[in-house]
Amino acid sequence: MSDDLYDPSDRPLEPTDDQPLDTVEASDAIRDKVRMDLAGGDVGAVTSGGLWRTAGREVLRKKSAIVGMALLSILLLLAVFAPIIAPYPPNKVLFDEGVSPRDPPCVHLFGCDEDKPQHILGIDGNGRDYFSRIVYGARVSLLAAFVAVLFAVVWGTMVGLVAGFFGGWVDNVLMRVMDVLLSFPSLLLAIVVVTVLGPGLINAILAIAIVTIPQYARIVRSSVLSIREQEYVSADQALGVTRWRLLAHRIFPNTLTPLIVIATLGVATAVLEIASLSFLGLGIQPPTAEWGSMLAAERNQVFTAPHLVFFAGLMIMWTVLGFNLLGDGLRDAIDPRLGR
Amino acid sequence: MTTTTVGDPILQISSLETHFFTRDGVVKAVDGVDLTVGKGEILGLVGESGCGKSVTSMSVLRLIQNPGEIVGGSIRFHGEDLLDLSEKEMRSIRGDRISMIFQQPVGSLNPVFTAGSQISEVYEIHEGLKKKEGNARAVEMLQKVGIPDAERRIKAYPHELSGGMAQRVMIAMALAAGPELLIADEPTTALDVTIQAQIIDLMREIRNDLGTSIIVITHDLGIVAEIADRVAVMYAGEIVEEADTKTLFADPKHPYTKGLIGSIPLAGDRREWLDVIPGRVPNLIDLPGGCRFAPRCRAREEAGLTMCTEQRPELTGVNDEHTVRCFLYQEGAK
Amino acid sequence: MARFLLRRFISSIPVIIGILALVFALARMIPGDPCRAALGERATDEICDAYNERYGLNDPIHVQFGIYLKDVATGDLGESFRFGVPVTELLIQRLPTTMELAAAALLIAVFVGVPLGIISGYRHNTKTDVATMVGANIGVAMPVFWLGLMLQYVFAVFLRDTPLALPPSGKLDAGLIPVPFYEVWGLPENGFMEFLSEFTLMNSLVTFQWEIFSSAFLHLILPAVALATIPLAIIARMTRSALLDVLGLDYVRTARAKGLRERSVVLKHALRNAMLPVVTIIGLSFGLLLGGAILTETIFNLAGVGKTLFDAITSRDYTVVQGFTLVVAISFVMVNLLVDLLYTYLDPRVRVS
């Protein structure tokens, strides 16, 4: 058609302003977004009490969350009532009762001889009741993972709040340090930290916590940055509210939503990594009943006594699955855009 | 407005029903729509957002996605019911004989492909051309829709184009295969006012030069007044009034249409207040039993009609060229 | 492109310096003095003084760091006291095994995970989708070491006398010794050649040592599958959700309105856009692979970087820990740099103007 349709206000080949062209920042932004998608949902989502209630109802609507909660409830029952559920103390050696090392599971109902000692998951290499150890193992795993995540969340939140709120060189230095920590494969870094601190329960927890701090720090920081721009914060600033008050009363409550989701998923990772450390002999040490180290103790017997490897791993999987499903459900409930 | 002789109908939609089956219930987005488009005609389809006008257009191309479904009616294109076609036959119509442009031109173009390759794709699908030939044709097409320096623009990515340019690219893409019917869904809503006017001119030229029939879907009566030959007004999933443009603006019948027209500010207007239609668009899941506009209708109260909340009015002719769905114009209404 | 690469590289320099500092600090933070850590508890004070003098351990800390940086830059990562060879040499021998394992695992994870994610996203909410996602959730939850042991049990014991039996550990059958390609081809032997020849699969392939090739291949299957499982599940989930995000966008509707078949809509128009987060996740899962390699190599008794690193920790061979940690961390950084490079190919919006 005609040339007079040319519109002078249509700019020549120039980027439109909404496109990220700083490639370096763009790729970092993409990576952050992926991390959040994996474990967070919409960062900076402003929540009110109403939304929380709706979210609660949504969680109950998600099949995955229900399954997750069911898996975790069973686990929690095992952990809390371990002394009642477990037929023996976890470290009691039962050679006096006529067992031999690595006896396979023996349950009368499933055709095992009635005269033999009845142990539903068999006996481990040191003559202990394997089922009792599995049950007590739930205590150690859950406790260790919770403490690790709590520690990481507290420190990560502080770092993120401070970096995001103060900006400038404080932000720069803190975030560079976090970048360095993130540039290590997490299990490797945890191993390195344990190497420095020495093996053991507390040090393994510390290691896992240190490794995951950057994750929380980055997410809290970007939350703060987006919330800081929002009007109600500016309004408060105009009214002369102090920085710390702002931080504590306005910004922190708003970063809570993504944090809870990520922390839930973080417990899953912590369970897995603590078990991995223990498996390598760097975490919780025998004779404490812990699934990772129980598995390590019997790993050379996998060909002759596979049950001693199978059930410990199954419990780890159970726990991780439970937290992952619950975390996914929470995320979907809080950010319905991702809910499918 | 251009006067054109309108040819035989190429598209006839009758009692179309498209419903969405959501968790909260069935959304009757389109609930018994009848529409006819003649050859070379520009039909305006007007209504507030959420009234079902876009769903109607997507139904024509059979692009309704889950959980939506066309549950009844027919869409005759040259007498053949599109709803009876196989998916493969339908594909050969989409983009070739019936094509569409959308509200957000930049977002409607794929960010990772160049403008040229996206236009060329139409030739590759429908005319079996090679990429190179397709590209050459794409340059021609871009020139046709008034894009200067087309050889260079063809290599541009969507984010390098302004909104107006992107909409031209979309139009070029829609017109590439020489369709008989172009459906423009809010084609100018996202654009600046000056560029809006250019796009409207462009569409009018397309009709005049190529004889393409166009359905313009919009909430903006101003655009309709400028471009359409005939107007259908949609409310809550049904057509409430249809007439040629001049008649509709000069003598609107339906209280809803009157309200819409009354809410446009006019040059030289001496009114102190613009008229506003009270209330809100009804929930499409839980529609009122009688006339869907009844809860918001002042004319009904003034005329003292009670049947409006109980019975659904039919679309009836005021004269040959003008139909309305309202009891006010029916004899014996109570 | 070169400019982009350069800019990205420069921006990763602070991180690399941070890694160097951390690894350097690691050696100073290890309990006990470095001399006795290196020479054993029975080293006398005189010997230790000499040792400290020689390695500059009496110098101020920033001088020591300077020396360390210079050593690393010249490829000197110290000497393993356990093996009595330079760490660099140990790397030459051990790195290829891990690289082959990680590459195999990555291939499995990507070439199974991405298609699964596509099918799942495309057939969203069908039985296929639900089954895939249940599988992916279980896959993510599996401890690598447990999966490895179970695979060993199933394929080496349970399926022992069937054609499906697979070797449970090691890199090759006992008695097989591969001939390096440089010997076959009469090329000079040097560090780089030796490094290349340690890629057993490649080496046996190009020199037609079929028996070795098939043995190496069979030995690689179980560890690669064990290592691939978690990344595979993550990649499948990410592909699915990225695809679902994209399938709802306007340009996908445009593609359909053009008359494209649904397969082209998904595979051409949607997938290319959905790949951005997927590629990111692939880069990040490389970290999982490197961490998992420590467990996998330990279980399958493969003398790669992971097992060597772990053995070095248990035997307090700290120069090896230091050197290997450094190499692993830097290769992780490099992989993510590569991922950024891929962005520019995948999405023109990230391209440099």
Side-chain angles (χ1 to χ4, degrees):
Chain A
M1 285 144 216
S2 54
D3 270 358
D4 62 359
L5 282 170
Y6 175 59
D7 152 32
S9 71
D10 265 4
R11 281 168 297 170
L13 293 173
E14 264 172 20
T16 41
D17 36 59
D18 57 1
Q19 300 302 332
L21 267 176
D22 187 317
T23 45
V24 174
E25 276 172 25
S27 50
D28 270 348
I30 293 167
R31 204 162 278 136
D32 264 359
K33 178 161 183 328
V34 167
R35 279 200 192 96
M36 285 171 219
D37 270 359
L38 261 192
D42 197 9
V43 165
V46 182
T47 47
S48 59
L51 187 66
W52 274 110
R53 235 169 291 132
T54 342
R57 231 173 294 136
E58 276 294 315
V59 169
L60 291 174
R61 256 170 132 158
K62 297 278 166 208
K63 266 186 214 128
S64 73
I66 293 172
V67 176
M69 279 194 273
L71 291 175
L72 294 179
S73 313
I74 294 174
L75 212 63
L76 208 63
L77 286 180
L78 284 187
V80 172
F81 298 108
I84 301 170
I85 295 168
Y88 301 94
N91 290 327
K92 186 164 191 218
V93 178
L94 304 172
F95 289 132
D96 301 344
E97 303 186 14
V99 304
S100 36
R102 305 197 181 86
D103 270 348
C106 178
V107 180
H108 171 55
L109 280 174
F110 299 136
C112 183
D113 194 346
E114 207 172 340
D115 302 335
K116 282 190 183 166
Q118 305 283 305
H119 298 279
I120 62 171
L121 294 183
I123 298 296
D124 80 354
N126 292 313
R128 296 168 294 199
D129 178 56
Y130 198 61
F131 175 71
S132 302
R133 290 181 65 73
I134 289 278
V135 170
Y136 275 92
R139 289 189 156 186
V140 183
S141 289
L142 287 182
L143 198 69
F146 273 126
V147 174
V149 169
L150 197 67
F151 190 92
V153 167
V154 169
W155 279 95
T157 304
M158 289 209 287
V159 171
L161 284 178
V162 169
F165 198 78
F166 291 99
W169 67 269
V170 180
D171 182 29
N172 241 320
V173 169
L174 286 175
M175 284 302 123
R176 283 302 142 257
V177 173
M178 295 299 119
D179 282 349
V180 170
L181 292 181
L182 273 177
S183 65
F184 284 85
S186 63
L187 184 62
L188 174 68
L189 188 58
I191 289 175
V192 166
V193 173
V194 174
T195 311
V196 172
L197 301 175
L201 172 68
I202 305 290
N203 291 346
I205 289 174
L206 269 178
I208 303 299
I210 290 171
V211 167
T212 43
I213 284 174
Q215 209 183 320
Y216 300 103
R218 285 196 76 130
I219 282 160
V220 169
R221 173 179 172 270
S222 55
S223 247
V224 173
L225 288 183
S226 68
I227 293 166
R228 207 166 69 151
E229 304 309 321
Q230 279 166 15
E231 280 164 40
Y232 67 96
V233 174
S234 324
D236 278 348
Q237 266 170 338
L239 290 173
V241 180
T242 65
R243 279 181 158 196
W244 282 110
R245 225 185 128 69
L246 207 58
L247 208 70
H249 291 271
R250 292 274 186 240
I251 292 180
F252 179 68
N254 276 297
T255 57
L256 220 60
T257 321
L259 261 187
I260 287 175
V261 176
I262 301 159
T264 310
L265 294 164
V267 177
T269 319
V271 168
L272 209 54
E273 294 202 333
I274 287 176
S276 300
L277 283 181
S278 300
F279 177 79
L280 290 172
L282 299 169
I284 297 142
Q285 303 292 314
T288 306
E290 195 272 346
W291 299 327
S293 70
M294 281 160 65
L295 220 151
E298 303 293 347
R299 79 177 170 98
N300 291 328
Q301 270 64 48
V302 68
F303 300 127
T304 51
H307 62 281
L308 294 181
V309 169
F310 180 76
F311 288 107
L314 194 69
M315 291 312 289
I316 298 171
M317 203 170 91
W318 179 296
T319 318
V320 176
L321 193 61
F323 282 108
N324 273 340
L325 290 177
L326 180 62
D328 284 350
L330 279 176
R331 178 189 50 201
D332 290 352
I334 288 165
D335 182 4
R337 188 184 60 81
L338 294 163
R340 326 176 212 277
Chain B
M1 201 200 324
T2 343
T3 41
T4 341
T5 39
V6 170
D8 299 332
I10 64 165
L11 186 80
Q12 288 170 292
I13 302 176
S14 42
S15 17
L16 179 70
E17 291 177 33
T18 304
H19 296 175
F20 287 78
F21 299 89
T22 67
R23 201 160 59 178
D24 302 319
V26 179
V27 179
K28 293 173 180 163
V30 176
D31 200 18
V33 162
D34 301 291
L35 273 181
T36 305
V37 188
K39 177 152 178 41
E41 184 184 30
I42 299 184
L43 171 72
L45 184 56
V46 191
E48 290 166 280
S49 52
C51 72
K53 50 195 198 306
S54 292
V55 176
T56 306
S57 66
M58 293 301 275
S59 301
V60 172
L61 280 180
R62 279 181 42 196
L63 285 175
I64 300 294
Q65 299 288 311
N66 239 340
E69 207 181 303
I70 301 174
V71 291
S74 66
I75 301 169
R76 297 193 179 278
F77 184 59
H78 288 297
E80 189 180 20
D81 192 350
L82 295 179
L83 301 181
D84 291 339
L85 298 185
S86 70
E87 176 58 26
K88 195 178 165 203
E89 290 167 320
M90 196 60 222
R91 273 206 305 270
S92 69
I93 287 180
R94 284 183 205 132
D96 189 26
R97 301 179 66 192
I98 305 177
S99 57
M100 222 176 148
I101 59 176
F102 302 98
Q103 180 171 3
Q104 296 289 346
V106 177
S108 295
L109 291 166
N110 194 323
V112 302
F113 297 116
T114 59
S117 74
Q118 294 187 60
I119 298 171
S120 162
E121 202 177 19
V122 177
Y123 294 113
E124 290 161 35
I125 311 166
H126 295 296
E127 296 178 18
L129 295 191
K130 293 272 181 309
K131 243 193 185 98
K132 213 172 158 194
E133 302 161 321
N135 255 316
R137 296 278 296 275
V139 174
E140 283 172 33
M141 209 61 229
L142 284 184
Q143 285 164 344
K144 262 194 198 167
V145 296
I147 291 184
D149 204 2
E151 280 91 354
R152 210 157 68 88
R153 295 275 181 174
I154 211 159
K155 296 192 191 90
Y157 285 94
H159 71 274
E160 297 166 328
L161 300 169
S162 66
M165 276 297 160
Q167 194 59 291
R168 278 168 207 254
V169 170
M170 276 300 289
I171 292 174
M173 190 157 79
L175 294 180
E180 294 151 75
L181 175 64
L182 173 68
I183 302 174
D185 189 352
E186 304 269 7
T188 59
T189 308
L191 304 176
D192 293 345
V193 183
T194 49
I195 299 167
Q196 272 187 11
Q198 292 171 4
I199 296 290
I200 288 170
D201 285 344
L202 176 61
M203 288 200 296
R204 196 159 34 212
E205 282 183 52
I206 288 163
R207 191 270 304 269
N208 292 346
D209 297 2
L210 308 172
T212 313
S213 310
I214 302 177
I215 301 178
V216 177
I217 295 170
T218 180
H219 66 277
D220 186 346
L221 280 171
I223 288 168
V224 167
E226 254 184 274
I227 190 173
D229 303 319
R230 210 151 47 79
V231 184
V233 181
M234 219 175 152
Y235 183 79
E238 52 187 22
I239 304 285
V240 293
E241 184 164 10
E242 191 183 328
D244 65 272
T245 311
K246 215 182 262 170
T247 313
L248 189 96
F249 280 94
D251 184 21
K253 295 290 185 200
H254 198 283
Y256 177 64
T257 316
K258 285 181 181 168
L260 277 185
I261 293 173
S263 63
I264 320 173
L266 298 170
D269 207 329
R270 299 260 166 205
R271 289 176 294 178
E272 269 183 42
W273 299 94
L274 289 174
D275 296 339
V276 175
I277 306 171
R280 299 172 62 179
V281 184
N283 180 349
L284 291 175
I285 294 177
D286 197 11
L287 286 164
C291 171
R292 288 174 186 178
F293 189 62
R296 297 171 76 182
C297 188
R298 268 184 295 207
R300 174 178 71 88
E301 291 165 22
E302 285 159 15
L305 289 183
T306 52
M307 63 193 296
C308 292
T309 50
E310 288 146 21
Q311 252 177 292
R312 239 180 112 177
E314 292 297 316
L315 206 55
T316 45
V318 178
N319 56 49
D320 284 355
E321 301 288 304
H322 194 163
T323 50
V324 63
R325 189 189 293 274
C326 181
F327 287 126
L328 287 172
Y329 306 95
Q330 281 182 19
E331 285 179 31
K334 285 177 259 177
Chain C
M1 188 60 81
R3 230 181 79 196
F4 169 75
L5 186 64
L6 192 71
R7 268 194 66 192
R8 192 67 183 110
F9 185 75
I10 289 172
S11 79
S12 61
I13 284 179
V15 170
I16 291 177
I17 292 177
I19 291 173
L20 282 162
L22 197 73
V23 170
F24 169 78
L26 155 77
R28 320 287 134 171
M29 288 188 299
I30 284 169
D33 77 300
C35 162
R36 292 202 167 80
L39 304 180
E41 289 303 322
R42 279 178 297 172
T44 61
D45 285 349
E46 290 80 40
I47 292 174
C48 268
D49 282 343
Y51 179 92
N52 288 346
E53 191 60 42
R54 180 167 162 223
Y55 289 99
L57 294 177
N58 296 330
D59 295 334
I61 201 85
H62 62 272
V63 177
Q64 289 187 36
F65 187 52
I67 295 171
Y68 176 67
L69 287 184
K70 200 194 89 210
D71 284 350
V72 170
T74 53
D76 178 5
L77 296 175
E79 195 170 279
S80 158
F81 82 86
R82 182 155 162 257
F83 297 99
V85 295
V87 172
T88 329
E89 192 164 309
L90 215 53
L91 272 171
I92 287 175
Q93 293 165 6
R94 306 291 165 92
L95 199 54
T97 304
T98 304
M99 284 169 79
E100 268 185 354
L101 175 65
L106 200 61
L107 283 179
I108 296 173
V110 171
F111 285 97
V112 180
V114 171
L116 273 183
I118 294 172
I119 294 168
S120 201
Y122 179 46
R123 304 213 172 284
H124 172 217
N125 274 347
T126 60
K127 275 179 192 151
T128 326
D129 178 29
V130 173
T132 312
M133 283 308 113
V134 168
N137 269 315
I138 292 176
V140 176
M142 270 195 241
V144 186
F145 48 91
W146 178 70
L147 180 62
L149 290 169
M150 285 295 115
L151 286 174
Q152 283 182 339
Y153 174 72
V154 171
F155 285 93
V157 181
F158 194 69
L159 298 172
R160 183 166 29 209
D161 297 318
T162 72
L164 285 175
L166 285 168
S169 72
K171 200 177 175 182
L172 285 172
D173 284 330
L176 287 180
I177 296 161
V179 186
F181 69 96
Y182 51 82
E183 277 180 28
V184 176
W185 295 346
L187 295 172
E189 181 181 351
N190 58 38
F192 185 62
M193 288 291 179
E194 196 192 336
F195 175 71
L196 290 181
S197 73
E198 289 291 335
F199 288 89
T200 313
L201 272 179
M202 279 335 260
N203 183 64
S204 56
L205 187 68
V206 297
T207 55
F208 312 120
Q209 303 176 56
W210 297 123
E211 198 188 346
I212 303 227
F213 181 78
S214 81
S215 175
F217 184 79
L218 292 177
H219 277 83
L220 193 59
I221 294 177
L222 292 185
V225 168
L227 189 54
T229 304
I230 292 180
L232 190 160
I234 292 178
I235 289 169
R237 280 172 53 152
M238 189 43 110
T239 307
R240 173 181 180 271
S241 92
L243 198 62
L244 284 178
D245 275 348
V246 171
L247 281 177
L249 295 180
D250 285 354
Y251 56 80
V252 170
R253 183 179 59 183
T254 308
R256 290 197 179 112
K258 254 187 209 180
L260 276 171
R261 57 182 67 234
E262 190 62 15
R263 203 177 47 184
S264 316
V265 171
V266 173
L267 293 183
K268 187 180 171 194
H269 282 263
L271 191 60
R272 175 82 180 270
N273 285 281
M275 278 322 270
L276 211 58
V278 174
V279 164
T280 309
I281 249 334
I282 292 173
L284 292 175
S285 7
F286 192 73
L288 281 175
L289 285 182
L290 293 172
I294 300 174
L295 297 161
T296 316
E297 288 174 6
T298 308
I299 289 160
F300 289 93
N301 199 21
L302 293 168
V305 170
K307 185 173 178 352
T308 310
L309 188 60
F310 175 63
D311 289 347
I313 288 171
T314 43
S315 58
R316 303 180 167 271
D317 193 352
Y318 291 124
T319 39
V320 173
V321 177
Q322 211 180 359
F324 275 47
T325 303
L326 184 69
V327 168
V328 171
I330 287 185
S331 57
F332 188 35
V333 173
M334 292 298 154
V335 164
N336 282 311
L337 222 109
L338 218 69
V339 165
D340 290 349
L341 209 67
L342 255 177
Y343 288 161
T344 64
Y345 166 74
L346 285 171
D347 191 342
R349 284 168 297 183
V350 193
R351 220 158 271 174
V352 197
S353 48

